[in-house]
């Protein structure tokens, strides 16, 4: 049985098990034991992926940049990557703002719901200027500290600079490049071992997710959930495939067949960083993206290309404004547009990371940061969909960049 088939079966079984646990209730002894076992298996799977994340990101970006060799090629890849990321995120945010203005989720909902959810939000209160200063400061730190702390964004920046240095040094640093290439091969081999646990890990994670949702709160926020999921699906299954076909002429069905393994893993883990090893595997082995392109575009995209997160934060800002009875004019929505893009770029690729940067988006237009509390019960559910689109955008970005660089 192929790994794709095993993952698909794990997805179906996990969803069924989660619904069964929810129906039986947490008081049943068997449910408690099952949830405990699912917690161990799911955590183990994510921890194994995170274990190889830092060395994989570091070696893949450094080797990917160094293998470009020539400055003109590096410049083309960088500009094409940045251009596509900005285009896709802008399209996602505009789609979110348009849907929120048309459907106006939040109109008529009771503000009493703020008292029914957890008010302890572990998010740092930052102004727009403070967020920019903190974001820029976090880009350039001691690389050894970044590696030890798992600071993916700082690791990406250092690996990028190291790769450029290897390009400029040429043959003088061929031994260092060879060492990094061998390290990358070792990491990819370990990823292959870890992926054998993917069906069980995804089964456990989905069972946990579906068994722990607060259905009453979800039903009261049904309109907002429906608008966000619908908008995310339109972006993921219409806008991004259209951009892919427009630029590369690759049929959407062919792409989804090759990307299926990574998309299912992203949906189950809600972490584009944890899914990164699987994303690289799909891009290189199934979609036939050159390792030099995939190793540069995809790790960078896992940190800086967050279509789903940007779309969700823009929708949530207008949702909170409706709840608070505040009308956001065009200028304020433009502020939301740019702030959301910056916040999405700075959000780490871990579950519910967007909740931290959401505070900055709300405060940029004078909305109460405490309103984030109403989003907590539904964040984990929506996080699965937006992470799926984040990972899809990274893989499509690698295909687009490969085509643009080849044409030039």
């Amino acid at each position: 049985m192929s790994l794709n088939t095993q993952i698909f079966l794990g997805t179906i079984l996990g969803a069924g098990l989660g619904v069964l646990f929810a129906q039986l209730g947490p008081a049943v002894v068997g449910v408690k034991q099952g949830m405990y076992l699912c917690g161990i298996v799911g955590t183990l799977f994510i921890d194994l992926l995170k274990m190889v994340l830092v060395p994989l990101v570091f070696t893949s970006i450094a080797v990917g940049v160094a293998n470009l060799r020539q400055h003109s090629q590096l410049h083309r890849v960088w500009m094409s990557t940045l251009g596509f990321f900005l285009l896709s995120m802008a399209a996602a945010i505009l789609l979110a703002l348009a849907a929120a203005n048309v459907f106006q989720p939040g109109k008529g909902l009771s503000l009493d719901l703020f008292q029914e959810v957890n008010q302890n939000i572990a998010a740092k209160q930052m102004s727009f200027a403070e967020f920019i200063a903190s974001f820029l400061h976090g880009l350039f730190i001691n690389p050894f500290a970044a590696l030890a702390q798992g600071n993916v964004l700082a690791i990406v920046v250092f690996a990028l600079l190291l790769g450029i240095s290897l390009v400029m040094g040429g043959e003088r640093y061929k031994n260092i490049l060879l060492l990094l290439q061998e390290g990358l091969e070792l990491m990819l081999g370990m990823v292959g071992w870890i992926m054998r646990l993917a069906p069980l890990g995804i089964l456990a994670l989905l069972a946990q997710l579906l068994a722990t949702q607060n259905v009453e709160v979800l039903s009261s926020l049904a309109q907002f959930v429906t608008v966000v999921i619908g908008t995310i699906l339109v972006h993921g299954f219409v806008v991004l495939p259209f951009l892919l076909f427009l630029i590369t002429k690759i049929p959407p069905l062919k792409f989804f067949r090759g990307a299926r393994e990574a998309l299912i893993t992203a949906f189950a883990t809600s972490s584009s960083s944890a899914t990164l090893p699987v994303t690289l595997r799909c891009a290189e082995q199934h979609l036939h993206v050159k390792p030099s392109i995939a190793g540069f575009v995809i790790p960078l995209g896992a940190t800086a290309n967050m279509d789903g997160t940007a779309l969700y934060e823009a929708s949530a800002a207008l949702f909170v404004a409706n709840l608070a009875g505040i009308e956001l004019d065009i200028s304020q929505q433009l502020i939301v547009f740019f702030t959301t893009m910056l916040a999405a770029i700075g959000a780490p690729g871990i579950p519910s990371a967007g909740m931290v940067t959401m505070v900055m988006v709300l405060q940029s237009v004078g909305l109460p940061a405490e309103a984030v509390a109403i989003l907590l019960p539904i964040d984990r559910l929506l996080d699965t969909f937006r992470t799926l689109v984040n990972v899809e955008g990274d893989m499509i970005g690698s295909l687009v960049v490969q085509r643009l660089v080849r044409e030039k």
Side-chain angles (χ1 to χ4, degrees):
M1 188 181 296
S2 69
L3 182 61
N4 276 342
T5 304
Q6 294 178 40
I7 290 176
F8 178 74
L9 290 176
T11 303
I12 299 299
L13 291 175
L17 191 61
V19 171
L20 178 62
F21 284 170
Q23 292 293 326
L24 293 176
V28 178
V29 176
V31 173
K32 288 182 180 178
Q33 295 175 344
M35 290 294 292
Y36 176 73
L37 184 60
C38 287
I40 291 178
V41 175
T43 302
L44 175 64
F45 177 59
I46 291 183
D47 286 345
L48 284 170
L49 288 174
K50 288 182 177 179
M51 178 184 71
V52 298
L53 170 64
V54 168
L56 178 64
V57 168
F58 177 72
T59 54
S60 64
I61 289 185
V63 171
V65 174
N67 284 339
L68 296 176
R69 294 296 182 185
Q70 299 179 1
H71 300 290
S72 59
Q73 188 80 340
L74 176 61
H75 176 73
R76 289 172 181 172
V77 171
W78 173 254
M79 294 303 293
S80 300
T81 302
L82 182 61
F84 179 78
F85 286 175
L86 292 177
L87 173 64
S88 63
M89 275 200 291
I93 297 171
L94 288 174
L95 181 62
L97 292 176
N101 279 290
V102 170
F103 296 104
Q104 295 187 329
K107 289 285 187 182
L109 286 183
S110 173
L111 292 177
D112 291 340
L113 286 172
F114 284 101
Q115 306 302 320
E116 298 175 9
V117 295
N118 183 11
Q119 297 289 337
N120 298 320
I121 304 168
K124 182 180 178 182
Q125 304 290 321
M126 288 189 293
S127 67
F128 181 70
E130 288 172 339
F131 181 84
I132 293 177
S134 174
F135 174 67
L136 293 177
H137 177 69
L139 292 179
F140 307 101
I141 65 174
N142 185 325
F144 295 101
L147 290 167
Q149 297 166 7
N151 187 332
V152 177
L153 193 57
I155 293 169
V156 166
V157 172
F158 179 74
L160 178 62
L161 295 175
L162 178 62
I164 293 172
S165 300
L166 290 173
V167 170
M168 297 180 68
E171 291 298 313
R172 284 185 297 170
Y173 305 127
K174 63 180 181 181
N175 291 333
I176 297 178
L177 177 57
L178 180 61
L179 178 64
L180 290 171
Q181 288 173 332
E182 291 176 345
L184 177 58
E185 291 172 3
L186 285 173
M187 290 304 105
L188 291 175
M190 292 177 68
V191 169
W193 300 343
I194 294 170
M195 283 309 297
R196 295 179 184 179
L197 292 176
L200 284 177
I202 290 172
L203 185 155
L205 289 165
L206 282 180
Q208 272 188 304
L209 172 66
L210 295 177
T212 55
Q213 288 302 311
N214 188 329
V215 179
E216 292 181 0
V217 177
L218 283 177
S219 63
S220 66
L221 300 172
Q223 185 185 15
F224 175 65
V225 171
T226 303
V227 170
V228 171
I229 292 178
T231 310
I232 288 175
L233 293 178
V234 168
H235 184 72
F237 291 95
V238 178
V239 177
L240 286 176
F242 173 74
L243 290 175
L244 174 68
F245 183 76
L246 186 67
I247 299 173
T248 68
K249 306 304 179 186
I250 295 176
L253 286 179
K254 180 180 179 181
F255 166 78
F256 285 117
R257 279 198 298 268
R260 178 175 50 191
E261 184 180 312
L263 296 179
I264 292 175
T265 305
F267 186 84
T269 62
S270 297
S271 172
S272 51
S273 291
T275 311
L276 182 57
V278 190
T279 310
L280 282 169
R281 172 191 172 112
C282 287
E284 294 177 11
Q285 297 182 10
H286 301 162
L287 300 175
H288 308 296
V289 180
K290 293 180 181 178
S292 60
I293 300 292
F296 176 81
V297 176
I298 291 176
L300 183 63
T303 303
N305 183 39
M306 299 284 186
D307 289 11
T309 302
L311 187 154
Y312 167 69
E313 292 187 353
S315 298
L318 268 66
F319 172 62
V320 171
N322 287 336
L323 286 178
I326 299 173
E327 287 288 339
L328 298 182
D329 58 26
I330 296 298
S331 62
Q332 288 173 312
Q333 292 193 31
L334 282 175
I335 293 174
V336 170
F337 176 89
F338 290 109
T339 311
T340 300
M341 183 171 290
L342 181 60
I345 292 173
I350 58 176
S352 300
M355 298 306 293
V356 178
T357 53
M358 174 66 73
V359 174
M360 193 259 307
V361 175
L362 295 176
Q363 290 184 334
S364 69
V365 287
L367 295 172
E370 293 76 15
V372 176
I374 200 173
L375 302 173
L376 287 176
I378 58 173
D379 180 68
R380 187 65 179 86
L381 173 64
L382 296 179
D383 201 13
T384 60
F385 289 92
R386 62 179 186 256
T387 303
L388 183 149
V389 172
N390 289 343
V391 170
E392 179 192 353
D394 297 341
M395 287 188 286
I396 287 179
S398 66
L399 289 165
V400 167
V401 169
Q402 179 169 262
R403 179 59 181 264
L404 292 176
V405 170
R406 185 167 65 232
E407 286 183 350
K408 290 180 181 179

